[in-house]
Coordinates of all heavy atoms in Angstrom, one line a residue:
M1 N 102.2 65.1 86.8 CA 102.1 65.9 88.1 C 102.6 65.1 89.2 O 102.4 63.9 89.2 CB 100.6 66.3 88.3 CG 100.0 67.1 87.2 SD 100.8 68.7 87.0 CE 99.7 69.7 88.0
A2 N 103.2 65.7 90.1 CA 103.9 65.0 91.2 C 103.8 65.8 92.5 O 103.8 67.1 92.5 CB 105.3 64.7 90.9
V3 N 103.9 65.2 93.6 CA 104.1 65.8 94.9 C 105.5 66.0 95.2 O 106.4 65.4 94.5 CB 103.4 65.1 96.1 CG1 101.9 64.9 95.8 CG2 104.0 63.8 96.4
K4 N 105.9 66.8 96.2 CA 107.3 67.0 96.5 C 107.4 66.9 98.0 O 106.6 67.4 98.8 CB 107.6 68.4 96.0 CG 109.1 68.7 96.1 CD 109.4 70.1 95.6 CE 110.9 70.4 95.7 NZ 111.2 71.8 95.4
I5 N 108.5 66.3 98.5 CA 108.9 66.3 99.9 C 109.9 67.4 100.1 O 110.9 67.5 99.4 CB 109.4 64.9 100.3 CG1 108.3 63.8 100.1 CG2 109.9 64.9 101.7 CD1 108.8 62.4 100.4
I6 N 109.7 68.2 101.1 CA 110.6 69.3 101.4 C 111.4 69.1 102.7 O 111.2 68.0 103.4 CB 109.9 70.7 101.4 CG1 108.9 70.8 102.5 CG2 109.3 70.9 100.0 CD1 108.4 72.2 102.7
E7 N 112.3 70.1 103.0 CA 113.3 69.9 104.0 C 112.7 69.6 105.5 O 113.5 69.1 106.3 CB 114.3 71.0 104.1 CG 113.7 72.4 104.3 CD 113.1 73.0 103.1 OE1 113.1 72.4 102.0 OE2 112.5 74.1 103.2
S8 N 111.5 69.9 105.7 CA 111.0 69.6 107.0 C 110.7 68.1 107.3 O 110.4 67.7 108.4 CB 109.7 70.4 107.3 OG 108.8 70.3 106.2
C9 N 110.8 67.3 106.2 CA 110.7 65.9 106.4 C 111.7 65.4 107.4 O 112.9 65.8 107.4 CB 111.1 65.2 105.0 SG 111.5 63.4 105.1
V10 N 111.3 64.5 108.3 CA 112.1 64.0 109.4 C 112.7 62.6 109.1 O 113.1 61.9 110.0 CB 111.4 64.1 110.8 CG1 111.1 65.5 111.2 CG2 110.1 63.2 110.8
N11 N 112.6 62.2 107.9 CA 113.1 60.9 107.5 C 112.6 59.7 108.3 O 113.3 58.9 108.8 CB 114.7 60.9 107.6 CG 115.2 61.9 106.6 OD1 114.8 62.0 105.5 ND2 116.2 62.7 107.0
C12 N 111.3 59.7 108.5 CA 110.7 58.7 109.4 C 110.4 57.4 108.6 O 110.0 56.4 109.2 CB 109.4 59.2 110.0 SG 108.0 59.3 108.8
F13 N 110.5 57.3 107.3 CA 110.3 56.2 106.5 C 108.9 55.8 106.3 O 108.6 54.8 105.6 CB 111.1 54.9 107.1 CG 112.5 54.9 106.9 CD1 113.4 55.6 107.7 CD2 113.1 54.2 105.8 CE1 114.8 55.6 107.5 CE2 114.5 54.1 105.7 CZ 115.3 54.9 106.5
A14 N 107.9 56.5 106.9 CA 106.5 56.0 106.8 C 106.0 56.0 105.4 O 105.2 55.1 105.0 CB 105.7 56.9 107.7
C15 N 106.3 57.0 104.6 CA 105.7 57.2 103.3 C 106.2 56.2 102.3 O 105.5 55.8 101.4 CB 105.8 58.6 102.8 SG 107.5 59.2 102.7
E16 N 107.5 55.9 102.4 CA 108.2 55.1 101.3 C 107.4 53.8 101.0 O 107.1 53.6 99.8 CB 109.6 54.9 101.7 CG 110.5 54.3 100.6 CD 110.5 52.8 100.6 OE1 110.2 52.2 101.7 OE2 110.9 52.2 99.6
P17 N 107.0 53.0 102.0 CA 106.4 51.7 101.6 C 104.9 51.8 101.1 O 104.4 50.9 100.5 CB 106.5 50.9 102.9 CG 106.7 51.9 104.0 CD 107.4 53.1 103.4
V18 N 104.3 53.0 101.4 CA 102.9 53.1 101.0 C 102.6 53.7 99.6 O 101.5 53.7 99.1 CB 102.0 53.9 102.0 CG1 102.1 53.2 103.4 CG2 102.5 55.3 102.1
C19 N 103.7 54.1 99.0 CA 103.6 54.7 97.7 C 103.3 53.6 96.6 O 104.1 52.7 96.4 CB 104.8 55.5 97.3 SG 104.7 56.1 95.6
P20 N 102.1 53.7 95.9 CA 101.8 52.7 94.9 C 102.7 52.7 93.7 O 102.8 51.8 92.9 CB 100.4 53.0 94.6 CG 100.2 54.4 94.8 CD 101.1 54.7 96.0
S21 N 103.4 53.8 93.5 CA 104.2 54.0 92.3 C 105.7 53.8 92.6 O 106.5 54.0 91.7 CB 104.0 55.4 91.7 OG 102.6 55.7 91.7
K22 N 106.1 53.5 93.8 CA 107.5 53.4 94.2 C 108.3 54.6 93.8 O 109.4 54.6 93.3 CB 108.1 52.1 93.6 CG 107.4 50.8 93.9 CD 108.3 49.7 94.1 CE 107.6 48.4 94.6 NZ 106.7 48.6 95.7
A23 N 107.6 55.8 94.0 CA 108.2 57.0 93.6 C 109.1 57.7 94.7 O 109.8 58.6 94.5 CB 107.1 58.0 93.2
I24 N 108.9 57.2 95.9 CA 109.6 57.8 97.1 C 110.9 57.0 97.4 O 110.9 55.8 97.4 CB 108.7 57.8 98.3 CG1 107.4 58.6 98.0 CG2 109.4 58.4 99.5 CD1 106.3 58.5 99.1
Y25 N 112.0 57.8 97.6 CA 113.2 57.1 97.9 C 114.0 57.9 98.9 O 113.8 59.1 99.1 CB 114.1 57.0 96.6 CG 114.4 58.3 95.9 CD1 115.6 58.9 96.1 CD2 113.5 58.9 95.1 CE1 116.0 60.1 95.4 CE2 113.8 60.1 94.4 CZ 115.0 60.7 94.6 OH 115.3 61.9 94.0
E26 N 114.8 57.2 99.6 CA 115.7 57.8 100.7 C 116.8 58.5 100.0 O 117.4 58.0 99.1 CB 116.2 56.6 101.6 CG 116.8 57.1 102.8 CD 117.4 56.0 103.7 OE1 117.3 54.8 103.3 OE2 118.0 56.3 104.7
A27 N 117.0 59.7 100.5 CA 118.0 60.6 99.9 C 118.6 61.5 101.0 O 118.1 61.5 102.1 CB 117.5 61.3 98.7
K28 N 119.6 62.2 100.6 CA 120.1 63.2 101.6 C 119.7 64.6 101.1 O 119.6 64.9 100.0 CB 121.6 63.2 101.6 CG 122.2 61.9 102.1 CD 122.1 61.8 103.6 CE 122.6 60.5 104.1 NZ 122.2 60.1 105.4
P29 N 119.3 65.5 102.1 CA 119.2 65.2 103.5 C 117.9 64.7 103.9 O 117.6 64.5 105.1 CB 119.4 66.6 104.1 CG 118.9 67.6 103.1 CD 119.1 66.9 101.7
H30 N 117.0 64.4 103.0 CA 115.6 63.9 103.4 C 115.1 63.1 102.2 O 115.6 63.1 101.1 CB 114.7 65.1 103.7 CG 114.5 66.1 102.6 ND1 113.8 65.9 101.5 CD2 115.1 67.3 102.5 CE1 113.8 67.0 100.7 NE2 114.6 67.8 101.3
F31 N 114.0 62.4 102.5 CA 113.4 61.6 101.5 C 112.9 62.5 100.3 O 112.6 63.6 100.5 CB 112.1 60.8 102.1 CG 112.5 59.5 102.7 CD1 113.2 59.6 104.0 CD2 112.2 58.3 102.2 CE1 113.5 58.4 104.6 CE2 112.5 57.1 102.8 CZ 113.2 57.2 104.0
K32 N 112.9 61.9 99.1 CA 112.4 62.6 98.0 C 111.5 61.8 97.1 O 111.3 60.6 97.3 CB 113.7 63.0 97.1 CG 114.5 64.0 97.8 CD 115.7 64.6 97.0 CE 116.4 65.6 97.8 NZ 117.8 65.7 97.5
V33 N 110.8 62.6 96.2 CA 109.8 61.9 95.3 C 110.4 62.1 93.9 O 110.8 63.1 93.5 CB 108.5 62.7 95.4 CG1 107.5 62.1 94.3 CG2 107.9 62.6 96.8
N34 N 110.4 61.0 93.2 CA 110.8 61.0 91.8 C 109.6 61.5 91.0 O 108.6 60.8 90.9 CB 111.2 59.6 91.3 CG 111.6 59.5 89.9 OD1 111.3 60.4 89.1 ND2 112.4 58.5 89.5
P35 N 109.7 62.7 90.4 CA 108.6 63.3 89.7 C 108.2 62.5 88.5 O 107.0 62.6 88.0 CB 109.0 64.7 89.4 CG 110.5 64.7 89.5 CD 110.9 63.6 90.4
N36 N 109.1 61.7 88.0 CA 108.7 60.9 86.8 C 107.9 59.7 87.1 O 107.3 59.1 86.3 CB 110.0 60.5 86.0 CG 110.7 61.7 85.5 OD1 110.1 62.7 85.1 ND2 112.1 61.7 85.7
K37 N 107.9 59.3 88.4 CA 107.2 58.1 88.8 C 105.9 58.4 89.6 O 105.0 57.7 89.5 CB 108.1 57.3 89.8 CG 109.2 56.5 89.0 CD 109.8 55.5 90.0 CE 110.8 54.6 89.4 NZ 111.3 53.7 90.4
C38 N 105.9 59.6 90.3 CA 104.7 59.9 91.1 C 103.5 60.1 90.2 O 103.5 60.9 89.2 CB 104.9 61.2 91.9 SG 103.5 61.8 92.8
T39 N 102.4 59.4 90.5 CA 101.2 59.5 89.7 C 100.1 60.3 90.5 O 99.0 60.3 90.1 CB 100.6 58.1 89.5 OG1 100.4 57.5 90.8 CG2 101.6 57.3 88.6
E40 N 100.5 60.9 91.6 CA 99.6 61.5 92.6 C 98.5 60.5 93.0 O 97.4 60.8 93.3 CB 98.9 62.7 92.0 CG 99.9 63.9 91.8 CD 99.3 65.2 91.5 OE1 98.1 65.3 91.3 OE2 100.0 66.2 91.6
C41 N 98.9 59.2 93.0 CA 98.1 58.1 93.4 C 96.8 57.9 92.5 O 95.9 57.1 92.9 CB 97.6 58.2 94.9 SG 99.0 58.0 96.0
E42 N 96.8 58.6 91.4 CA 95.6 58.5 90.6 C 95.4 57.1 90.1 O 96.3 56.4 89.6 CB 95.8 59.5 89.4 CG 94.5 60.0 88.9 CD 94.6 61.0 87.8 OE1 95.5 61.9 87.9 OE2 93.8 60.9 86.8
G43 N 94.1 56.6 90.2 CA 93.8 55.3 89.8 C 94.1 54.2 90.8 O 93.6 53.1 90.7
D44 N 94.8 54.6 91.9 CA 95.1 53.6 92.9 C 94.4 54.0 94.2 O 93.8 53.1 94.9 CB 96.6 53.6 93.2 CG 97.4 52.9 92.1 OD1 97.1 51.8 91.7 OD2 98.3 53.6 91.6
F45 N 94.4 55.3 94.6 CA 93.8 55.7 95.9 C 93.2 57.1 95.7 O 93.7 57.9 94.9 CB 94.9 55.8 97.0 CG 95.5 54.5 97.3 CD1 96.7 54.1 96.8 CD2 94.9 53.6 98.2 CE1 97.3 52.9 97.1 CE2 95.4 52.3 98.5 CZ 96.7 52.0 97.9
P46 N 92.2 57.4 96.5 CA 91.5 58.7 96.3 C 92.3 59.8 97.0 O 92.1 61.0 96.7 CB 90.2 58.5 97.0 CG 90.4 57.4 98.0 CD 91.5 56.5 97.4
V47 N 93.2 59.5 97.8 CA 94.1 60.5 98.5 C 95.5 60.1 98.4 O 95.9 59.0 98.2 CB 93.7 60.8 100.0 CG1 92.3 61.3 100.1 CG2 93.9 59.5 100.8
Y48 N 96.4 61.1 98.5 CA 97.8 60.9 98.4 C 98.2 60.0 99.6 O 98.1 60.4 100.7 CB 98.6 62.2 98.5 CG 98.3 63.2 97.5 CD1 98.4 64.6 97.8 CD2 97.9 62.9 96.2 CE1 98.1 65.5 96.8 CE2 97.7 63.8 95.2 CZ 97.7 65.2 95.6 OH 97.4 66.1 94.6
Q49 N 98.7 58.8 99.3 CA 99.1 57.9 100.4 C 100.2 58.4 101.2 O 100.2 58.2 102.4 CB 99.5 56.5 99.8 CG 98.3 55.8 99.1 CD 97.1 55.5 100.1 OE1 97.3 54.7 101.0 NE2 96.1 56.3 100.1
C50 N 101.2 59.0 100.6 CA 102.3 59.6 101.3 C 101.9 60.6 102.3 O 102.2 60.6 103.5 CB 103.4 60.1 100.4 SG 102.7 61.3 99.2
A51 N 101.1 61.6 101.9 CA 100.6 62.7 102.7 C 99.6 62.1 103.8 O 99.6 62.7 104.9 CB 100.0 63.8 101.9
S52 N 98.9 61.1 103.5 CA 98.0 60.6 104.5 C 98.7 59.9 105.7 O 98.1 59.8 106.7 CB 96.9 59.6 103.8 OG 97.5 58.4 103.5
I53 N 99.9 59.5 105.5 CA 100.6 58.9 106.6 C 101.7 59.8 107.2 O 102.1 59.5 108.3 CB 101.2 57.5 106.2 CG1 101.4 56.6 107.3 CG2 102.5 57.7 105.4 CD1 101.7 55.2 107.0
C54 N 102.1 60.8 106.5 CA 103.2 61.7 107.0 C 102.8 62.4 108.3 O 101.7 63.1 108.3 CB 103.5 62.7 105.9 SG 104.8 63.8 106.4
P55 N 103.6 62.3 109.3 CA 103.3 63.0 110.6 C 103.6 64.4 110.7 O 103.4 65.1 111.7 CB 104.1 62.1 111.6 CG 105.3 61.7 110.8 CD 104.9 61.5 109.4
I56 N 104.3 64.9 109.6 CA 104.8 66.3 109.7 C 104.0 67.3 108.8 O 104.0 67.1 107.6 CB 106.3 66.4 109.3 CG1 107.2 65.4 110.1 CG2 106.9 67.8 109.4 CD1 107.2 65.7 111.6
E57 N 103.4 68.2 109.4 CA 102.6 69.2 108.7 C 103.5 69.9 107.7 O 104.6 70.4 108.1 CB 101.9 70.2 109.6 CG 100.8 69.5 110.4 CD 100.3 70.4 111.5 OE1 100.9 71.4 111.8 OE2 99.2 70.1 112.1
G58 N 103.1 70.1 106.5 CA 103.8 70.9 105.5 C 105.0 70.2 104.8 O 105.6 70.8 104.0
A59 N 105.3 68.9 105.2 CA 106.5 68.3 104.6 C 106.2 67.9 103.2 O 107.2 67.7 102.4 CB 106.9 67.1 105.4
I60 N 105.0 67.7 102.8 CA 104.7 67.2 101.4 C 103.8 68.3 100.7 O 102.8 68.7 101.2 CB 104.0 65.9 101.4 CG1 104.9 64.8 102.1 CG2 103.6 65.5 100.0 CD1 104.3 63.5 102.2
L61 N 104.3 68.7 99.5 CA 103.6 69.8 98.8 C 102.9 69.1 97.6 O 103.5 68.2 97.0 CB 104.6 70.8 98.3 CG 105.5 71.5 99.3 CD1 106.4 72.6 98.6 CD2 104.7 72.1 100.4
N62 N 101.8 69.6 97.2 CA 101.1 69.2 96.0 C 101.8 69.8 94.8 O 102.7 70.6 94.9 CB 99.6 69.4 96.0 CG 99.2 70.9 96.1 OD1 100.0 71.7 95.7 ND2 98.0 71.1 96.5
A63 N 101.2 69.5 93.6 CA 101.9 70.0 92.4 C 101.8 71.5 92.3 O 102.6 72.1 91.5 CB 101.2 69.3 91.1
Q64 N 100.9 72.1 93.0 CA 100.7 73.6 93.0 C 101.7 74.2 94.1 O 101.7 75.4 94.2 CB 99.3 74.0 93.3 CG 98.3 73.7 92.1 CD 98.0 72.3 92.0 OE1 97.7 71.6 92.9 NE2 98.0 71.8 90.7
G65 N 102.4 73.4 94.8 CA 103.3 73.9 95.8 C 102.7 74.2 97.1 O 103.3 74.9 97.9
E66 N 101.5 73.7 97.3 CA 100.8 73.9 98.6 C 100.9 72.7 99.5 O 101.0 71.6 99.0 CB 99.3 74.1 98.3 CG 98.9 75.3 97.4 CD 97.6 75.1 96.7 OE1 97.1 74.0 96.6 OE2 97.2 76.1 96.1
A67 N 101.0 73.0 100.8 CA 101.1 71.9 101.7 C 99.9 71.0 101.7 O 98.8 71.5 101.7 CB 101.3 72.4 103.1
V68 N 100.1 69.7 101.5 CA 98.9 68.8 101.5 C 98.3 68.7 102.9 O 97.1 68.7 103.1 CB 99.3 67.4 101.0 CG1 98.1 66.5 101.0 CG2 100.0 67.5 99.6
N69 N 99.2 68.8 103.9 CA 98.7 68.8 105.3 C 99.2 70.2 105.9 O 100.3 70.3 106.4 CB 99.4 67.7 106.2 CG 99.0 66.3 105.7 OD1 97.8 66.1 105.4 ND2 100.0 65.4 105.6
P70 N 98.3 71.2 105.7 CA 98.8 72.5 106.2 C 98.9 72.6 107.7 O 98.4 71.8 108.4 CB 97.7 73.4 105.6 CG 96.5 72.6 105.3 CD 97.0 71.2 105.1
P71 N 99.6 73.7 108.1 CA 99.7 73.9 109.6 C 98.4 73.8 110.3 O 97.4 74.4 109.9 CB 100.3 75.3 109.7 CG 101.0 75.6 108.4 CD 100.2 74.8 107.4
G72 N 98.4 73.0 111.4 CA 97.2 72.8 112.2 C 96.3 71.6 111.8 O 95.5 71.2 112.5
S73 N 96.6 71.1 110.6 CA 95.7 70.0 110.1 C 95.9 68.7 110.8 O 95.0 67.9 110.9 CB 95.9 69.9 108.6 OG 97.2 69.5 108.3
L74 N 97.1 68.5 111.3 CA 97.3 67.2 112.0 C 97.2 67.3 113.5 O 96.7 66.5 114.2 CB 98.7 66.6 111.6 CG 98.9 66.4 110.1 CD1 100.3 65.8 109.9 CD2 97.8 65.4 109.5
T75 N 97.7 68.5 114.0 CA 97.7 68.7 115.4 C 96.4 69.2 115.9 O 96.1 69.0 117.1 CB 98.8 69.7 115.9 OG1 98.5 70.9 115.2 CG2 100.2 69.2 115.5
G76 N 95.7 69.9 115.1 CA 94.4 70.5 115.5 C 94.7 71.8 116.2 O 93.8 72.5 116.7
I77 N 96.0 72.2 116.3 CA 96.3 73.5 116.9 C 96.3 74.6 115.9 O 97.1 74.5 114.9 CB 97.7 73.4 117.6 CG1 97.7 72.2 118.6 CG2 98.0 74.7 118.3 CD1 99.1 71.9 119.2
P78 N 95.5 75.6 116.0 CA 95.5 76.7 115.0 C 96.9 77.3 114.9 O 97.6 77.5 116.0 CB 94.5 77.7 115.5 CG 93.7 77.0 116.5 CD 94.6 75.9 117.1
P79 N 97.4 77.6 113.7 CA 98.8 78.1 113.6 C 99.1 79.3 114.4 O 100.2 79.4 115.0 CB 98.8 78.5 112.1 CG 97.7 77.7 111.4 CD 96.7 77.5 112.5
E80 N 98.1 80.2 114.7 CA 98.4 81.4 115.5 C 98.6 81.0 117.0 O 99.5 81.6 117.7 CB 97.4 82.5 115.3 CG 96.0 82.2 115.7 CD 95.2 81.4 114.6 OE1 95.8 81.0 113.6 OE2 94.0 81.2 114.8
K81 N 97.9 80.0 117.4 CA 98.0 79.5 118.8 C 99.4 78.9 119.0 O 100.1 79.0 120.0 CB 97.0 78.5 119.1 CG 95.6 79.1 119.3 CD 95.5 79.6 120.8 CE 94.2 80.3 121.0 NZ 94.3 81.4 121.9
M82 N 99.8 78.1 117.9 CA 101.1 77.4 118.0 C 102.2 78.5 118.0 O 103.2 78.4 118.8 CB 101.3 76.6 116.7 CG 102.6 75.8 116.7 SD 102.8 74.6 118.0 CE 102.4 73.1 117.1
A83 N 102.1 79.6 117.2 CA 103.1 80.6 117.2 C 103.2 81.3 118.6 O 104.3 81.6 119.1 CB 102.7 81.7 116.1
E84 N 102.0 81.5 119.2 CA 102.0 82.1 120.5 C 102.7 81.2 121.5 O 103.5 81.7 122.3 CB 100.5 82.3 121.0 CG 99.9 83.5 120.6 CD 98.4 83.5 121.0 OE1 98.0 82.9 122.0 OE2 97.6 84.1 120.2
A85 N 102.4 79.9 121.5 CA 103.0 79.0 122.4 C 104.5 78.9 122.2 O 105.3 78.8 123.2 CB 102.4 77.6 122.2
M86 N 105.0 78.9 121.0 CA 106.4 78.9 120.7 C 107.1 80.1 121.2 O 108.2 80.1 121.8 CB 106.7 78.7 119.2 CG 106.2 77.4 118.6 SD 106.8 75.9 119.5 CE 108.5 75.9 118.9
A87 N 106.5 81.3 121.0 CA 107.0 82.5 121.5 C 107.1 82.5 123.0 O 108.1 83.0 123.6 CB 106.2 83.7 121.0
E88 N 106.1 82.0 123.7 CA 106.0 81.9 125.1 C 107.2 81.0 125.6 O 107.9 81.4 126.6 CB 104.7 81.3 125.5 CG 104.5 81.0 127.0 CD 104.3 82.2 127.9 OE1 104.1 83.3 127.3 OE2 104.4 82.0 129.1
L89 N 107.4 79.9 125.0 CA 108.4 78.9 125.4 C 109.8 79.6 125.2 O 110.7 79.4 126.1 CB 108.4 77.7 124.5 CG 107.3 76.6 124.9 CD1 107.3 75.5 123.8 CD2 107.6 76.0 126.2
Q90 N 110.0 80.3 124.1 CA 111.3 80.9 123.9 C 111.6 82.1 124.8 O 112.7 82.5 124.9 CB 111.4 81.3 122.4 CG 111.7 80.1 121.5 CD 111.3 80.2 120.1 OE1 111.0 81.3 119.6 NE2 111.3 79.1 119.3
S91 N 110.6 82.6 125.4 CA 110.8 83.8 126.2 C 111.3 83.4 127.6 O 111.7 84.3 128.4 CB 109.5 84.7 126.3 OG 108.5 83.9 127.1
H92 N 111.3 82.1 127.9 CA 111.7 81.6 129.2 C 113.2 81.2 129.2 O 113.7 80.8 128.2 CB 110.8 80.5 129.7 CG 109.5 81.0 130.1 ND1 109.2 81.8 131.1 CD2 108.3 80.8 129.4 CE1 107.9 82.1 131.1 NE2 107.3 81.5 130.1
Ligands
SF4_1 S1 101.3 61.1 95.8 FE1 101.0 58.9 95.7 S2 102.3 58.3 93.9 FE2 103.0 60.3 94.5 S3 104.7 60.0 95.9 FE3 102.8 60.2 97.2 S4 102.2 58.1 97.5 FE4 103.6 58.1 95.7
SF4_2 S1 106.3 60.4 106.0 FE1 106.8 62.6 105.9 S2 108.4 62.9 107.5 FE2 108.2 60.7 107.1 S3 109.8 60.3 105.5 FE3 107.9 60.6 104.4 S4 107.8 62.9 104.0 FE4 109.4 62.5 105.5

């Protein structure tokens, strides 16, 4: 089982050094996880080290394809409030 980094990754380099399995590598257009190396941190840490440091909500998916840090989990802004704010900004 492995996590996956998706296109919303901003290539900040934060996750690469904290992975105990050296499963994360720089690639184009964004960092990726080698599924053969990712152990989901099992036996090393109680939580995914990559997701615990990643600043971008939704950039890392678990093996079930769900965001480890879902919208609102890092900013504390409920997703519907964020959508309203973005719509407001774009209307100007
Ligand atoms: S879940 Fe753990 S082992 Fe897998 S890529 Fe993230 S830090 Fe590495
Ligand atoms: S910490 Fe998140 S945004 Fe930064 S490189 Fe890793 S996956 Fe991408």
Side-chain angles (χ1 to χ4, degrees):
M1 302 297 267
V3 303
K4 187 178 182 190
I5 296 175
I6 63 168
E7 60 279 357
S8 49
C9 164
V10 295
N11 296 318
C12 74
F13 284 81
C15 58
E16 190 266 344
V18 300
C19 174
S21 313
K22 305 215 175 312
I24 300 174
Y25 59 99
E26 193 180 358
K28 295 283 178 199
H30 56 77
F31 276 72
K32 292 190 176 147
V33 175
N34 180 336
N36 298 320
K37 285 190 172 179
C38 173
T39 57
E40 295 195 348
C41 292
E42 209 174 319
D44 290 306
F45 296 98
V47 295
Y48 304 147
Q49 293 300 285
C50 52
S52 72
I53 204 167
C54 180
I56 306 299
E57 291 170 346
I60 300 179
L61 307 183
N62 64 18
Q64 288 73 44
E66 299 154 347
V68 182
N69 297 316
S73 62
L74 302 181
T75 59
I77 302 169
E80 60 278 7
K81 286 276 173 212
M82 181 65 101
E84 273 172 31
M86 294 307 284
E88 172 74 13
L89 279 173
Q90 279 159 11
S91 69
H92 291 292

